[in-house]
Amino acid sequence: MRHLTLALDIMGGDNGPHIILSAALKALNEFPQLNFVFCGDEGVITSWLKQHSSSLSNRYSIVHCDQQVLMDDNPVTALRHKKDSSMACAIKHVKNGQADACVSAGNTGALLAIACSQLKTLAGVNRPALVSSLPTAKGQKAYLLDLGATVQSDAQTLLQNAVMGSVLAQEIGGIERPRVAILNVGEEQIKGPASIKQASRLLADSEHINYIGFVEGDDIFNDIADVIVTDGFSGNIALKSCEGLVKLLIEQIKRDARRNFLSKIMAKLAMPLLRRLYLRVNPDQYNGASLIGLRGIVIKSHGNASKDAFYYAIVQAMKEAKMRVPDKIKTKIETVLLEQL
């Protein structure tokens, strides 16, 4: 793998810079081709690194930032009045070609606003989408987008989401010809709002997308489709509903385990699986969620991520940088748009 440089928003997230820095050092130890730009409070970063790192200092640099985007900051306020924030700094390094990608666990709305302002969207892309993979019954992955970047999407935006998700499934998921579906209230073509029906027709007419039709919510995990397209409103609700269900199951098993010996045994067997499932279906825990459709790579980590969780966000950024995902999306978007002329 070629040498890669990632810019990290050290001050973003809920758990403090030490989580992000710990994840970064883990990545440096595992990937000799990796370098970092740490964006944040230089005093805080330097103090922590002095206690934990000595031999790796030639593979990272520190850029001091006077400001920090808080989790409750209004995105517009963050964009206009926090231009020297660690988040803006990390994105700026991608814009200027000083980093191959950036990773932030900060405010999602602010990240979207700043990234769109600095990096701009690819030609042919109306809005970026937040996407990540879900587990399926057969052990494969399904990519769901949008997870909340754009609440309402017209037919053209849904088409673009399908193209972007298809590229991600090919390049990162290793799926040669991804099956693409649209999330709907039924499989019949007569169902759903006008935007979904129109998007379905556009996808069905495309020779470059392996479109298989509509899927319902209970099909998300059934390995029916590799890419599931929806707007941010529906996608976020679908994922949070799954999160709530798994939480309920975990709590129910805990209660039952306190009642009798047999339930306690069953709980020990079931709990590891349910915890893994919880981490996978919780949209806030989606470390490595990609903000795709931009002219640069931006990875969103959960704000409450652990060291290991943030590490996986770093790995996702490396994968997308290695595969040059924005370039692949640009090429495919242009090809699909030409079909419509």
Side-chain angles (χ1 to χ4, degrees):
M1 182 185 289
R2 66 185 178 90
H3 283 271
L4 297 174
T5 299
L6 304 185
L8 301 187
D9 171 13
I10 300 298
M11 312 309 292
D14 299 322
N15 294 331
H18 69 282
I19 292 293
I20 299 170
L21 291 167
S22 296
L25 292 191
K26 178 181 179 180
L28 286 174
N29 280 308
E30 294 197 18
F31 302 104
Q33 75 280 11
L34 182 61
N35 298 279
F36 284 115
V37 178
F38 296 146
C39 301
D41 186 313
E42 185 174 12
V44 171
I45 296 171
T46 301
S47 175
W48 189 91
L49 288 173
K50 282 182 178 178
Q51 300 176 49
H52 298 86
S53 170
S54 58
S55 61
L56 299 172
S57 59
N58 63 320
R59 292 173 53 201
Y60 61 75
S61 60
I62 301 171
V63 178
H64 177 69
C65 304
D66 289 321
Q67 297 175 307
Q68 175 185 352
V69 174
L70 303 177
M71 284 302 196
D72 58 354
D73 277 347
N74 180 282
V76 175
T77 301
L79 174 64
R80 293 179 178 176
H81 302 294
K82 293 194 172 181
K83 297 183 183 297
D84 191 34
S85 66
S86 54
M87 180 183 289
C89 173
I91 295 172
K92 187 176 181 180
H93 274 72
V94 177
K95 174 186 176 182
N96 294 341
Q98 297 166 302
D100 297 286
C102 72
V103 186
S104 174
N107 181 319
T108 303
L111 186 68
L112 175 63
I114 296 171
C116 285
S117 175
Q118 290 203 31
L119 299 177
K120 313 299 181 185
T121 56
L122 292 165
V125 175
N126 295 338
R127 294 277 294 172
L130 195 63
V131 56
S132 195
S133 60
L134 302 169
T136 67
K138 296 182 180 179
Q140 305 300 316
K141 293 181 178 180
Y143 290 84
L144 179 65
L145 70 163
D146 180 16
L147 295 179
T150 303
V151 174
Q152 291 182 315
S153 302
D154 58 20
Q156 197 66 29
T157 301
L158 292 172
L159 171 66
Q160 294 161 12
N161 285 353
V163 173
M164 295 190 293
S166 183
V167 171
L168 203 66
Q170 284 178 316
E171 300 299 330
I172 304 301
I175 304 168
E176 184 176 350
R177 187 165 167 75
R179 300 161 296 172
V180 178
I182 296 177
L183 187 64
N184 199 0
V185 294
E187 297 180 7
E188 299 84 358
Q189 292 299 312
I190 60 172
K191 291 188 175 180
S195 59
I196 285 181
K197 293 177 184 177
Q198 185 181 353
S200 180
R201 290 192 292 269
L202 291 172
L203 285 168
D205 290 340
S206 176
E207 297 180 358
H208 299 278
I209 301 293
N210 182 21
Y211 179 61
I212 63 171
F214 295 140
V215 294
E216 298 181 67
D218 57 353
D219 291 325
I220 292 175
F221 303 101
N222 286 339
D223 197 35
I224 292 175
D226 302 303
V227 178
I228 301 172
V229 177
T230 182
D231 57 45
F233 184 83
S234 301
N236 194 272
I237 287 178
L239 267 293
K240 287 187 176 178
S241 297
C242 295
E243 171 198 352
L245 175 60
V246 176
K247 280 182 178 178
L248 174 63
L249 290 173
I250 290 175
E251 291 304 315
Q252 186 64 52
I253 289 176
K254 285 181 178 179
R255 286 195 295 269
D256 289 346
R258 290 192 287 266
R259 294 175 183 172
N260 58 67
F261 182 71
L262 181 59
S263 294
K264 185 176 293 186
I265 293 175
M266 295 300 293
K268 286 185 177 181
L269 293 173
M271 196 60 73
L273 174 62
L274 285 173
R275 290 195 184 281
R276 287 197 300 271
L277 183 59
Y278 172 74
L279 290 174
R280 294 296 294 167
V281 301
N282 180 353
D284 289 338
Q285 294 279 354
Y286 259 44
N287 287 288
S290 308
L291 195 55
I292 59 174
L294 297 166
R295 299 181 186 184
I297 298 169
V298 178
I299 303 298
K300 173 66 175 75
S301 168
H302 171 48
N304 197 33
S306 64
K307 178 188 80 170
D308 289 339
F310 197 91
Y311 164 82
Y312 286 116
I314 290 172
V315 171
Q316 179 68 18
M318 291 177 62
K319 288 179 180 178
E320 293 195 22
K322 176 186 175 184
M323 302 307 297
R324 300 184 183 277
V325 168
D327 292 339
K328 303 287 179 62
I329 291 175
K330 178 178 180 294
T331 299
K332 192 152 190 172
I333 282 283
E334 290 173 347
T335 302
V336 172
L337 290 177
L338 285 174
E339 291 179 328
Q340 301 177 37
L341 297 179

